[in-house]
Amino acid sequence: MCETENLRKEVENARLLLAAEEQKLGRAEITQEKLREGYAIVSQLGETEEEFISNKLITLLQNCKAEKERLALQIEQEEEYLTNTLQKKLDQLKREKVDIENQMEQEQEYIVNRLQIQLDETRKEKDALERKIEELSKQASERSLPTSPALPRSNSLEPDPTQAGRPFGRAESVKSDRQFSGDAH
């Protein structure tokens, strides 16, 4: 009997060990199930977090792209505005240049016309003075001719020795004035 009892005790111990192992196994299975559930939750949270981050990044990228497009459009509009402004200023400067050139041309015409008129008046005065000089010279010649048969020395072409150091006589002075004014034409 001892052996049977021993076997019974061993079987009993084995049953107890088996029960203890089954309890451990049950607890391990519960722990494993909890871990699976935890892993599933963590995995789901990870996926949710990943999806959230992906969506956030996509939104940021879309916002950046929209901002880039907005800035590009704004830059294009500013460039167009600057181009138009500069073109208007250039056109205005061209018009002002043309106006100034026209004004200068008109002033030059006015000056040329005024100088032409002054030149004509000066020529007329010179011609009048030359005629007057000729007339006075003729009158002087006519007056001196009837009173003396010989020409006075002041009307001759040779210098008068009594007039040494003085300018030419009146007739010679008139002749030299005529030659000078004749050279000017």
Side-chain angles (χ1 to χ4, degrees), residues 20-33:
E21 287 299 319
E22 284 178 350
Q23 280 182 348
K24 280 184 184 177
L25 182 63
R27 285 193 299 253
E29 285 176 351
I30 290 172
T31 303
Q32 184 181 13
E33 188 60 35

Side-chain angles (χ1 to χ4, degrees), residues 57 65 70 89 104 127 130 159 162 166 174:
L57 287 174
K65 185 177 179 183
R70 186 188 67 76
K89 286 184 180 180
M104 286 178 62
D127 290 344
E130 284 179 351
T162 60
R166 288 187 175 181
V174 169

Side-chain angles (χ1 to χ4, degrees), residues 44-61:
Q44 187 178 2
L45 284 175
E47 286 177 13
T48 305
E49 184 71 21
E50 200 175 282
E51 189 176 328
F52 173 76
I53 290 171
S54 292
N55 290 340
K56 191 173 182 180
L57 287 174
I58 289 171
T59 304
L60 282 173
L61 284 173

Side-chain angles (χ1 to χ4, degrees), residues 2-112:
C2 247
E3 228 175 267
T4 351
E5 227 178 89
N6 276 344
L7 280 175
R8 277 190 200 158
K9 280 188 183 181
E10 280 182 30
V11 169
E12 192 60 35
N13 279 341
R15 282 187 189 157
L16 285 173
L17 278 175
L18 181 63
E21 287 299 319
E22 284 178 350
Q23 280 182 348
K24 280 184 184 177
L25 182 63
R27 285 193 299 253
E29 285 176 351
I30 290 172
T31 303
Q32 184 181 13
E33 188 60 35
K34 285 182 180 178
L35 285 174
R36 279 185 193 151
E37 288 174 2
Y39 177 76
I41 291 171
V42 168
S43 179
Q44 187 178 2
L45 284 175
E47 286 177 13
T48 305
E49 184 71 21
E50 200 175 282
E51 189 176 328
F52 173 76
I53 290 171
S54 292
N55 290 340
K56 191 173 182 180
L57 287 174
I58 289 171
T59 304
L60 282 173
L61 284 173
Q62 288 173 342
N63 289 342
C64 286
K65 185 177 179 183
E67 180 68 12
K68 180 181 173 185
E69 289 173 359
R70 186 188 67 76
L71 288 173
L73 181 63
Q74 184 180 356
I75 288 171
E76 184 180 329
Q77 288 172 344
E78 286 182 22
E79 285 176 349
E80 187 175 332
Y81 171 77
L82 289 174
T83 301
N84 290 340
T85 302
L86 290 174
Q87 187 62 44
K88 286 177 185 176
K89 286 184 180 180
L90 181 63
D91 292 344
Q92 181 182 357
L93 288 174
K94 285 179 180 178
R95 285 191 302 271
E96 288 176 4
K97 179 185 172 199
V98 168
D99 290 345
I100 289 172
E101 287 174 348
N102 289 338
Q103 185 179 2
M104 286 178 62
E105 188 177 323
Q106 289 174 355
E107 286 180 24
Q108 286 175 346
E109 270 185 51
Y110 172 76
I111 291 170
V112 166

